[in-house]
Amino acid sequence: MLREEAMLFWQSRNRYKSSAIALKIASNYSKLSLPVGVLVIDYKNMVADGDFAPDPACYPSVKALSAGVRAALNATTVFSFWPEVTQNSKEYTLLNRSNCLINAALGGRVVDATVRACRTLIWDKFLYPRYYQQGVSAYWLDETDGEGTSGGYLPFSGGYETSFGPKAFASNAWVNQWLATFSEPVRVTESTRV
């Protein structure tokens, strides 16, 4: 979870194509003695949307990246996540069989974060071992506005039909549960370490 570093400068750009580029940026900020609190590895950091794992060709070691950013800047490394899961994602079959995917109209599917079993599956199987245990404890969560809520844009008309009900009624509840997929386990895990 972010703490005081969230109040410092956030470094992000459209896409870092490798850990080496991100670490070079961190090194440059360090040389300039600029106070950076967060370095965001933004979207398209996976091979396919819904892999819940960084592209190993670009980010061979999340642990080394996170430790390198911490060593250079004392900053938090944050990875971006979108709720879409495309059919070519390596996690598509498991998530689909587990009834965790909704909204086929998007060209992919979307995680139904309103189902507790789906949130638990994503944390236990993907996020905890692939990110949290590698030093990443804060996450940039896309679609918590626009597409993910009833205020979205065409052609999707915003929001998702979820286990809570139709999008006109439940879209904002979906957003809260998407956030909880990441934040609740971190809060619980960190509170037990104190």
Side-chain angles (χ1 to χ4, degrees):
M1 294 285 248
L2 292 174
R3 294 172 192 85
E4 59 277 351
E5 59 261 28
M7 296 299 167
L8 296 173
F9 180 75
W10 286 52
Q11 169 58 38
S12 181
R13 69 189 228 188
N14 186 347
R15 183 165 182 258
Y16 294 105
K17 294 186 179 182
S18 71
S19 289
I21 294 170
L23 290 169
K24 175 91 169 134
I25 296 292
S27 174
N28 288 343
Y29 274 111
S30 178
K31 288 175 188 170
L32 295 170
S33 298
L34 294 173
V36 177
V38 177
L39 190 136
V40 180
I41 307 299
D42 211 343
Y43 85 121
K44 300 300 180 194
N45 60 62
M46 301 176 205
V47 172
D49 290 340
D51 279 347
F52 291 98
D55 181 344
C58 299
Y59 312 99
S61 171
V62 171
K63 189 173 209 165
L65 174 59
S66 179
V69 168
R70 180 66 69 189
L73 296 170
N74 196 29
T76 297
T77 302
V78 171
F79 274 81
S80 170
F81 290 88
W82 291 71
E84 284 88 8
V85 180
T86 57
Q87 287 186 345
N88 63 331
S89 164
K90 60 184 176 181
E91 308 306 349
Y92 180 87
T93 300
L94 173 61
L95 291 167
N96 196 41
R97 283 187 191 152
S98 300
N99 296 313
C100 294
L101 301 179
I102 54 175
N103 282 36
L106 292 173
R109 306 285 299 278
V110 175
V111 171
D112 188 353
T114 64
V115 178
R116 179 175 293 283
C118 296
R119 293 193 310 271
T120 300
L121 170 73
I122 289 167
W123 177 259
D124 289 348
K125 190 147 181 76
F126 311 140
L127 299 174
Y128 183 73
R130 297 175 185 172
Y131 294 93
Y132 188 84
Q133 286 188 317
Q134 308 309 311
V136 176
S137 63
Y139 311 93
W140 182 270
L141 303 177
D142 285 290
E143 291 194 21
T144 53
D145 60 359
E147 288 177 54
T149 68
S150 59
Y153 56 86
L154 294 176
F156 309 119
S157 302
Y160 304 127
E161 306 285 333
T162 71
S163 71
F164 285 179
K167 61 186 172 183
F169 166 76
S171 286
N172 287 332
W174 175 88
V175 168
N176 289 338
Q177 297 307 303
W178 177 236
L179 297 172
T181 302
F182 297 77
S183 62
E184 283 181 8
V186 170
R187 182 182 49 78
V188 168
T189 302
E190 293 194 353
S191 70
T192 60
R193 284 199 281 168
V194 176

